[in-house]
Amino acid sequence: MGRRKQRGRQKVADAGQATMSAGVGAPSSASAELVRHIVLGLLTLILVARPLILGEDPGLIAPQSGRANLILTLLWLVVAVGWAAWRVVGGQTGWYGSLVEVGLAGIVAAVFWSTGRAAAYRHPALLIAWEWVALFAAFVVVRQFVRGDAENRAILAVLLASAVSLWINAVYQRVVELPVQQSLAADPKTAREMYRLANGRPAADDAEFRAFLRRVNENNVSATFAHPNSFAGYLSLFLPAAVGAAWCSWRKFGKVPYSYMVTGAAALIASALALSQSKGAILSTLLVGGIISLWALRRRWAAYRSWVVAGMVILAGAGVALGTTSAGRELVAKPFRSFALRLDYWRATWAMIRDHFWLGVGPGSFGRFYPHYVLKTAWERIKDPHNLFLEMWATAGVFAFVALVVAVLAFFWRVRSAASASQLDIGKPTDAEEENSGFGGRTPWEYYLGGMAGLLIGFMVRASGIESKDEILLEGLTAGLRALVWFAALALYLYVPWTAQARRIALTAGVVALLLNLLVSGGIEMPSVAQSLWVVAALALNAGGDRDWFPQGGWLSRVLPLPLALAAAFAYFLMVFLPVTTAADALRQAQRNQPRFAELRARTETLLEPECMTTLGACPVAGFPANVPWKALEHARTQIPAALSIKSVNRSRAADFLRKQIIGPVYQALEADPTDANLYTEQARWYQEWWMLQGGDQTAREAIHFAERAQALDPESHDGYLVEAQFWEAFGERAQQSANKQQMFDGAARAMRRAVALDPNNAELHYRLGDVLFRAGRIQESRNEAAAAWSSDEPLPAEFRRLSEVQRQSIQRFVSPTR
C-alpha cells in the first residue's frame, strides 16, 4: 500500500514538472499569465542593471559610495511580492527547495543577530543584513518562479548578454580612460584633484594619495565595477557558460555563422577578463576549464593522449623559457607575493575570529577592527579578509559560517548528478528539449523590454554622478554601444541549443570558478558579485529538474508568501530605503553648493579684490593690477579700514551661504538618517569652516558635538577623532595666549591618541600625534611618537611606506641626529 502511494505521489510530481517544463508554470488565468510576464520583465531589469550600478560597498561605509544600489535591493523585494502574488492568482501550491535555501535563511538570521548584538556601528550592519535578505529573495524567486526550460534559458541569455556587453566598457577604459588618467596624474596638482573627485574628499595623507596613483598606473580594467577583482569575478561566473553555449552550437549546427558568432561572444568575455589582470579570477577560470576539458575527453583519452602529452610538454618548455627572462620571473613571482599577502590577511583574521568567535565583529565592521590585528609588515588596510568563509565567520560569527558551508555543500550535492552525464548528453538536445525551449512562436517581449529598462536605469545612475557635459556625452555613447551589443547578444543566446545537463554543467562550472576566486578575494557580501552568484546557482539547480518538496500543498502554502513578502518590502522601504535615500538627496544638494562656497571663501583670503578696488578707486588712480596685495599700496594706507570692512562683508556673505546652502541641507540629511556617522563627521567639518569665518563659542561647541556624536555611533573608526583633533589644532593656532595654545593642542593630542589606539601600526597617525605634542610643548612625548612612527614605517617596503621622505628625514633629525 505504501509503495502504491509513493508511486502515485511520484506521478503527480512528474505531471507537475512536465507542466512547468512547458514554460508558463500552469497559470490558471490570463491575469496570472500577465503577472508572470511582468515579474519576468522586472527580474530581467534587475539582472541587466546589476553590473551597471556599483555594489562593492553594501554598508555605504565610504562617504562617496552612491545609494543607487538600494534601488535594486528594493526591486528584488518587489519581485518577491510579484512572485507571491502570482502564486495566489495562479493557484500555485508546490515548493521547490533544498538545504541551500535552509543555509541561506540561516545566514540571514545569523547576520541580523550579529547586527543587533555585536556590531559596534549599526548603520552599515543593518544595510548589509538587508542585502542578505535580497540575496535570499533572489535565490528563492528564481528557484520557485523560473521553472520552465524556456524561461531558464532566457534568464541565462540575459545574464550572458550583460557579461558580453561589458566588453565595451572594458576596452574603452583600457584604450581611452586609463591613458588619459595616467597622463593627468603626471601633474601632482591635477592628480590630487582627481583623488578628490574620485573619493569625495582630499587625500588624508601622502600614503593614501600614493596608493591612488599606483592604482591609476596599474592598467587593471574594472569597467562598470569599482574594483578590477569584482569585475573579474563577475566575468569568471559567466565565461564557462559562454564557452558551453559555443560548444553546444558547434555540436548542433557545425560550421555556420551562428556558431562563429556565439564563439566570438565568448571570446569577448575572455578578453575582458584578461584586461582585468585579476590573477585569482583568471587562474580559477583556467583551472575549472582544464578540469572540464579533461573530464569531457575522459572516454577518448586514448585518441587524444599524444596531443595532451605534447601540449603539456610545450607548455612546460614555454614556462622554463619564460622563466629565464626578467619579465617572466616577475610574472611568476607576482602571484606568489600576492598569495603571501593573503596569508598575512588570514593570520590577522583568525586572531580576530578567536576574539569574536560566536557573533563576529558585526557586518561591515571588519575594516574597523582589522588594524588591531594587522601585522607590522602588512602595508595595506583591507576591508575584507579575501576569503568568503573567513569573512563570514569574522563579521557574522560561527553560525553564519556554518550556514554558508551548509549552503555551498548542499548546492554541490544537488548538482552532483551532472558529473555522470555522457559526452553525447552535453551537446545534443533531445526532441523534447528542443520542443520545450521555444516561446510558442511569440516574441519574448518581457526580456527585451526588461533589458531596455535595465540599460536605461544603468545609464541614468552612472550619468547622475557626472557634472561635465562632455563626459555625459561620452557616457551616453558608451551606453548606446553597450545596448547594441546587449540586444545582439541576447538574440544569439536565446536560441542556443542547450541540453539540461549541458546547461547545468556550464552554470556549475561558473559557480565553482567564482567560489575559487572568492577563496582569495572579497565579494561574498558584495551585491555586484553575490547576487549574480546565487542567481546562477538557482539556475543550475533548476536545470536538473528538481522535484517539489510539497507538490500537494494547501491554501496556506499558496497564500502565506504574499504577506511575508509585503511585510519585508514595506519594512525595508520605511526603515532603510526612504531615510537613506532622503539623506543622500539632501547631502547631494549640499555638495552641489560647495564650489560656490569655495569661491566665496577665496574672497576672504585677501584684502584686495575687484569689488574692493572698484569701491575705493585705488586701481584707476594708482594703476596697480587687481592682484597686488593691499599692503603694497603704500599711498592707500588710509583706505585700509574700508578694505577691511569689505573683507568683513565677504566673510559674512560666505558664512551666510555656508549656513543656508550647506549646513542646512546636511541638517536635513541628519534628520532623515540620524544613525549615519559619516553625516555627523561631514557636519563637524562644515561647522569648523563656519567657526574659521566668524568664530564664536557656540559654533565651536557644535563642531565638537558633531565630532563626538560620530565617535559614539562609530567608535572603531578614527574619522571622528581626526576631525576633533583638527578642530582643536585650529583653535590652538588662533589662540593668542600661550596657555590657551597649550590647552588647545592638549585637546588635539587627546583626540589623536584615541585615533592612534584604533590603528596602532599607522605611521602617519603616530607622526601627526607627535607633531601635535610638539606644538603643545611636550617634547619627550613628541619624540616617543616620532620613534613609534619610524618603527611602524621602517618594516614596510619602500614603495608602500606611509611616511613621505621629508617626514622620515624630519624624524631622523628629531629623534636621533646620529641615526
Side-chain angles (χ1 to χ4, degrees):
M1 183 69 179
R3 290 184 178 178
R4 284 197 298 271
K5 284 185 178 181
Q6 184 176 3
R7 285 195 296 268
R9 290 176 180 173
Q10 185 64 46
K11 288 181 180 179
V12 172
D14 291 341
Q17 179 63 30
T19 304
M20 297 298 290
S21 300
V24 296
S28 59
S29 65
S31 58
E33 181 74 3
L34 178 61
V35 171
R36 185 172 187 83
H37 290 314
I38 293 174
V39 174
L40 286 173
L42 284 175
L43 181 60
T44 302
L45 183 156
I46 299 173
L47 297 178
V48 173
R50 176 65 278 169
L52 305 179
I53 296 176
L54 295 179
E56 282 91 326
D57 185 15
L60 302 180
I61 297 172
Q64 70 275 12
S65 294
R67 272 56 176 170
N69 181 68
L70 302 180
I71 298 175
L72 298 185
T73 303
L74 180 63
L75 284 177
W76 273 120
L77 298 178
V78 171
V79 166
V81 172
W83 157 71
W86 170 78
R87 288 181 62 86
V88 173
V89 175
Q92 302 297 318
T93 58
W95 283 91
Y96 299 85
S98 64
L99 284 177
V100 182
E101 286 86 345
V102 176
L104 286 176
I107 294 174
V108 173
V111 169
F112 270 100
W113 189 14
S114 178
T115 296
R117 300 295 300 274
Y121 185 19
R122 298 286 180 83
H123 190 268
L126 185 63
L127 292 176
I128 293 173
W130 276 102
E131 288 297 337
W132 275 105
V133 173
L135 291 175
F136 179 71
F139 185 85
V140 169
V141 167
V142 175
R143 285 282 285 139
Q144 307 297 325
F145 188 71
V146 187
R147 296 303 304 180
D149 186 67
E151 292 159 353
N152 274 271
R153 290 158 52 112
I155 295 299
L156 176 56
V158 166
L159 292 168
L160 289 174
S162 296
V164 173
S165 68
L166 295 185
W167 177 83
I168 295 293
N169 291 86
V171 172
Y172 175 78
Q173 187 178 29
R174 181 64 183 86
V175 175
V176 179
E177 282 188 0
L178 288 178
V180 170
Q181 289 179 4
Q182 292 163 5
S183 176
L184 294 174
D187 179 19
K189 184 178 180 180
T190 306
R192 289 193 176 275
E193 180 63 16
M194 290 171 57
Y195 180 94
R196 187 191 67 80
L197 293 175
N199 296 277
R201 58 177 176 81
D205 52 52
D206 287 339
E208 210 172 73
F209 177 64
R210 292 196 303 271
F212 170 75
L213 291 182
R214 283 195 300 271
R215 290 193 298 271
V216 169
N217 293 311
E218 281 178 346
N219 287 326
N220 293 356
V221 167
S222 59
T224 57
F225 289 72
H227 197 279
N229 286 341
S230 303
F231 177 50
Y234 178 85
L235 294 178
S236 69
L237 180 64
F238 297 110
L239 183 55
V243 174
W247 171 266
C248 290
S249 299
W250 281 96
R251 291 279 297 176
K252 175 66 176 178
F253 303 121
K255 297 180 180 180
V256 297
Y258 177 83
S259 300
Y260 286 106
M261 287 188 288
V262 176
T263 304
L268 294 182
I269 298 178
S271 64
L273 178 60
L275 289 175
S276 73
Q277 300 186 38
S278 174
K279 297 175 288 296
I282 293 173
L283 290 176
S284 62
T285 305
L286 289 175
L287 177 61
V288 170
I291 292 174
I292 291 179
S293 298
L294 292 176
W295 173 80
L297 297 174
R298 70 194 186 282
R299 298 188 179 184
R300 299 188 179 184
W301 168 250
Y304 293 99
R305 179 172 52 191
S306 58
W307 288 98
V308 173
V309 172
M312 294 176 65
V313 170
I314 292 173
L315 288 176
V320 172
L322 188 62
T324 59
T325 64
S326 59
R329 287 191 295 270
E330 175 63 20
L331 185 64
V332 173
K334 197 171 182 180
F336 286 98
R337 289 199 302 268
S338 181
F339 186 72
L341 287 175
R342 278 155 175 76
L343 289 177
D344 292 341
Y345 304 157
W346 298 340
R347 282 195 289 267
T349 303
W350 182 245
M352 185 190 301
I353 289 173
R354 289 200 305 268
D355 290 346
H356 305 84
F357 184 86
W358 294 105
L359 296 179
V361 298
S365 294
F366 180 89
R368 262 65 172 160
F369 283 83
Y370 180 74
H372 295 292
Y373 302 93
V374 65
L375 304 180
K376 286 190 175 182
T377 56
W379 55 268
E380 188 178 10
R381 296 298 187 265
I382 56 176
K383 303 301 181 185
D384 59 76
H386 292 59
N387 181 281
L388 74 162
F389 297 109
L390 290 178
E391 180 176 358
M392 188 59 60
W393 197 341
T395 57
V398 65
F399 301 108
F401 164 76
V402 171
L404 178 61
V405 171
V406 169
V408 172
L409 293 180
F411 169 77
F412 287 115
W413 178 259
R414 298 288 290 187
V415 300
R416 72 192 187 283
S417 61
S420 63
S422 67
Q423 184 185 11
L424 295 179
D425 291 334
I426 298 175
K428 292 184 178 181
T430 64
D431 294 338
E433 286 175 327
E434 288 186 345
E435 181 180 352
N436 293 331
S437 64
F439 299 95
R442 70 176 183 87
T443 301
W445 56 265
E446 59 269 31
Y447 305 108
Y448 286 102
L449 293 180
M452 185 184 302
L455 291 168
L456 180 60
I457 289 176
F459 165 71
M460 293 173 62
V461 169
R462 292 178 59 81
S464 63
I466 302 175
E467 297 180 359
S468 170
K469 293 182 179 179
D470 292 337
E471 292 183 2
I472 291 178
L473 178 60
L474 287 175
E475 180 63 34
L477 292 175
T478 305
L481 291 174
R482 185 171 59 234
L484 290 176
V485 173
W486 187 87
F487 281 107
L490 180 65
L492 282 177
Y493 284 122
L494 278 176
Y495 302 102
V496 172
W498 288 106
T499 66
Q501 287 287 11
R503 199 166 68 247
R504 173 175 271 201
I505 291 171
L507 292 168
T508 302
V511 172
V512 173
L514 180 52
L515 289 178
L516 289 176
N517 182 48
L518 292 179
L519 290 175
V520 294
S521 180
I524 191 60
E525 289 186 343
M526 298 179 184
S528 58
V529 177
Q531 283 183 10
S532 300
L533 168 65
W534 293 111
V535 168
V536 169
L539 292 176
L541 292 174
N542 288 351
D546 292 340
R547 304 298 182 188
D548 293 1
W549 267 4
F550 306 106
Q552 297 297 324
W555 68 271
L556 185 61
S557 67
R558 183 183 67 186
V559 175
L560 184 60
L562 183 57
L564 294 178
L566 282 171
F570 275 110
Y572 178 77
F573 179 78
L574 296 176
M575 296 171 56
V576 177
F577 182 83
L578 191 59
V580 173
T581 54
T582 302
D585 290 339
L587 186 61
R588 194 177 300 113
Q589 179 184 348
Q591 292 170 345
R592 284 195 296 265
N593 294 326
Q594 291 178 22
R596 174 58 181 164
F597 171 73
E599 295 177 6
L600 296 174
R601 185 73 170 85
R603 294 183 180 183
T604 67
E605 301 298 329
T606 178
L607 293 178
L608 192 63
E609 298 176 331
E611 299 95 326
C612 172
M613 296 306 300
T614 302
T615 302
L616 299 179
C619 271
V621 175
F624 283 99
N627 61 351
V628 174
W630 184 267
K631 63 183 180 180
L633 303 176
E634 297 293 338
H635 67 286
R637 287 182 176 177
T638 57
Q639 301 182 31
I640 286 180
L644 289 173
S645 176
I646 291 178
K647 183 174 181 178
S648 177
V649 170
N650 286 341
R651 281 182 175 275
S652 298
R653 188 186 305 167
D656 189 59
F657 183 88
L658 172 63
R659 179 177 60 85
K660 293 179 179 179
Q661 303 301 328
I662 295 181
I663 290 179
V666 176
Y667 262 122
Q668 296 174 10
L670 285 170
E671 291 176 358
D673 190 7
T675 62
D676 188 350
N678 289 326
L679 297 177
Y680 290 93
T681 304
E682 182 82 4
Q683 193 72 310
R685 291 194 179 101
W686 289 119
Y687 261 90
Q688 181 179 344
E689 285 284 347
W690 196 5
W691 179 84
M692 294 288 287
L693 287 170
Q694 291 195 325
D697 293 341
Q698 181 61 32
T699 305
R701 284 192 292 269
E702 288 293 329
I704 298 297
H705 164 73
F706 284 114
E708 291 176 345
R709 182 58 180 160
Q711 298 163 14
L713 287 173
D714 190 6
E716 294 298 324
S717 172
H718 53 53
D719 290 346
Y721 301 110
L722 293 179
V723 170
E724 181 185 354
Q726 184 180 5
F727 196 50
W728 285 117
E729 287 182 71
F731 274 168
E733 290 170 354
R734 290 201 172 193
Q736 299 297 324
Q737 300 179 2
S738 58
N740 290 338
K741 281 183 177 291
Q742 183 173 357
Q743 182 181 3
M744 300 307 171
F745 284 121
D746 283 343
R750 286 194 300 271
M752 282 300 305
R753 284 192 186 281
R754 298 174 72 179
V756 169
L758 296 174
D759 194 354
N761 293 319
N762 190 317
E764 178 70 20
L765 294 182
H766 280 289
Y767 185 89
R768 291 180 60 181
L769 175 56
D771 179 64
V772 170
L773 290 170
F774 181 83
R775 287 189 283 174
R778 297 155 68 173
I779 305 302
Q780 185 55 48
E781 294 180 56
S782 174
R783 185 171 282 111
N784 293 339
E785 290 302 325
W790 181 276
S791 63
S792 298
D793 200 51
E794 186 64 19
L796 303 180
E799 66 270 24
F800 298 123
R801 286 173 178 164
R802 297 189 65 85
L803 298 178
S804 66
E805 191 59 34
V806 174
Q807 290 173 327
R808 289 171 61 82
Q809 292 175 1
S810 174
I811 290 175
Q812 285 181 305
R813 291 191 299 268
F814 180 56
V815 176
S816 176
T818 60
R819 184 185 290 270

